[in-house]
Amino acid sequence: MNVTYTTKNEENTPVTIEANLDFEPQSDDTVWMLWCFVPLKTPDAEGGCGEAERAVLDTIRETLGERLELRNGALYAGMRLQEGWAELYFYAAWSKGAEQQFRDLFKQHGYGQIEYGATRDTHHAFYHDTLAPDPFELQQAKSAEIIAELAAAGDDLNVARPVEHYLFFQTHSAMQRAAAALAEEGVRIETDLEEEGHYPYGMLYERTHACTPEALEEVTLPLLETVLEAHGIYLGWSTSLAGSEG
């Protein structure tokens, strides 16, 4: 599964990153990182590009993934969009012939200029250090998916409504400490949720707020900090369309 999130690079400029969460090479020989940089035709101020161009890049990524898997034993790792460039990354068992696949496919879609390289990365450090999201970035991506579904259903994301958040812990005492730390006026907390695997003690945290990206980040950030400190997990949030509760 691919997820998309935004962050900032060392120059403090926006970066859009797509990461393959299923990146688990089956062979110890998958040590060659194949990368390609392409100038974007429709870059935007948020570090991404126009929807039409993103769709083209997705098509290129899917086709490359199929070809490189067969020819080079490759697996897609992720993509970065930053400072007017698209960067695609794959890890392969061998690199021979891969460059021509990149050049031919991008040229077919109207990209005449590309920069290509193959770098040995035995432990896939670039993927783990640069592409894979941390827990906060992963939640940003998951929230964005729900927000998109709400918007597609005609929801006014700025309207505050009850939102349920789900937190799970390994011990009852950890859950109780978290409940005490998060308790405040206007918040409903229940501590009898059904167990979730190795985290049998579940807590529901309900708070009324909007469902814009900014509002969700403001609420989920402290929840994530709380569960991570207690070695628990945050399983996301759910709500109803604005005005439809009840």
Side-chain angles (χ1 to χ4, degrees):
M1 178 179 70
N2 300 329
V3 298
T4 300
Y5 64 95
T6 59
T7 184
K8 292 188 177 180
N9 59 22
E10 295 178 354
E11 287 72 39
N12 203 37
T13 56
V15 182
T16 298
I17 297 179
E18 177 182 83
N20 177 11
L21 296 186
D22 298 322
F23 180 78
E24 295 182 0
Q26 300 301 308
S27 171
D28 292 338
D29 295 329
T30 311
V31 298
W32 289 102
M33 183 177 75
L34 313 177
W35 53 266
C36 177
F37 293 3
V38 184
L40 292 168
K41 300 176 182 179
T42 58
D44 61 33
E46 286 71 45
C49 63
E51 291 185 9
E53 184 170 23
R54 180 58 190 268
V56 171
L57 291 173
D58 288 343
T59 298
I60 293 173
R61 177 251 296 158
E62 291 175 5
T63 305
L64 270 174
E66 294 171 356
R67 293 182 181 180
L68 294 175
E69 180 181 7
L70 292 173
R71 298 168 182 260
N72 298 83
L75 179 64
Y76 174 67
M79 174 168 54
R80 291 197 302 183
L81 306 179
Q82 63 174 333
E83 299 181 336
W85 290 79
E87 309 170 7
L88 273 71
Y89 298 92
F90 293 80
Y91 279 85
W94 54 93
S95 60
K96 185 177 180 179
E99 180 175 0
Q100 198 60 48
Q101 294 298 319
F102 279 88
R103 294 193 181 281
D104 289 348
L105 191 55
F106 273 101
K107 184 176 181 179
Q108 177 183 332
H109 288 275
Y111 294 90
Q113 173 192 357
I114 74 167
E115 296 180 10
Y116 169 85
T119 306
R120 192 175 179 86
D121 183 4
T122 304
H123 301 293
H124 315 123
F126 184 83
Y127 170 81
H128 294 294
D129 296 342
T130 306
L131 297 176
D134 64 26
F136 301 95
E137 293 163 341
L138 180 57
Q139 184 52 48
Q140 177 200 122
K142 291 180 177 179
S143 290
E145 292 178 358
I146 302 175
I147 290 170
E149 292 175 0
L150 291 172
D155 187 278
D156 184 348
L157 301 173
N158 292 291
V159 174
R161 84 294 302 273
V163 181
E164 296 181 347
H165 300 262
Y166 308 99
L167 296 73
F168 287 82
F169 303 86
Q170 296 180 29
T171 67
H172 185 266
S173 59
M175 179 187 66
Q176 294 287 32
R177 287 194 299 271
L182 294 171
E184 61 178 286
E185 186 177 352
V187 169
R188 179 173 71 92
I189 291 178
E190 295 182 4
T191 57
D192 57 353
L193 299 188
E194 184 177 347
E195 68 178 76
E196 183 68 28
H198 297 295
Y199 300 86
Y201 301 96
M203 181 176 78
L204 181 148
Y205 173 98
E206 183 185 87
R207 180 172 173 178
T208 298
H209 58 80
C211 285
T212 61
E214 297 77 15
L216 263 302
E217 182 175 350
E218 181 180 350
V219 176
T220 58
L221 180 60
L223 296 181
L224 276 165
E225 290 175 340
T226 297
V227 296
L228 291 174
E229 183 177 351
H231 307 291
I233 55 173
Y234 173 69
L235 288 188
W237 55 274
S238 66
T239 190
S240 55
L241 293 177
S244 67
E245 56 269 20

